[in-house]
Amino acid sequence: VGAKQQGSVYIYRRSENAWVEEEKLTPPGNLKTILFGQSVSVKGNTIAVGDGAVFVFVYEYDSSSNAWNTFGGTLTTSKSCGDGNYTREAYERYGGIVKLTND
């Protein structure tokens, strides 16, 4: 009765002459966001995923378990109206572009 609306990010790894799906990333816990994966940044074994609205998630590859795990907490916008409600600008832009750096 209603479709599940959930964005996702697919991880592929090159194996000889083909790309093989390694893992499907979705937001942690019970968070549902159809825009998950709107922006993605990869640096080494770390991936940042933005939903273009409210959240940014960071995943790190653990070679001992061969799995991508959330790293740190979920990042959210801090731009609010002062009453705890987020501004329209913050909702429309936060997580729209993500970039991992050495800092």
Side-chain angles (χ1 to χ4, degrees), residues 31-98:
L31 291 173
K32 302 291 184 214
T33 170
I34 61 173
L35 298 176
F36 179 84
Q38 178 177 341
S39 57
V40 176
S41 178
V42 180
K43 185 165 181 69
N45 290 333
T46 306
I47 297 176
V49 180
D51 76 346
V54 181
F55 302 107
V56 174
F57 308 89
V58 180
Y59 296 84
E60 188 171 60
Y61 183 72
D62 179 3
S63 59
S64 65
S65 64
N66 292 323
W68 290 90
N69 302 308
T70 54
F71 178 77
T74 300
L75 306 173
T76 61
T77 181
S78 62
K79 293 182 180 180
S80 70
C81 299
D83 58 3
N85 295 318
Y86 294 106
T87 64
R88 181 181 173 101
E89 176 185 341
Y91 268 124
E92 291 176 349
R93 297 196 176 126
Y94 189 81
I97 299 173
V98 293

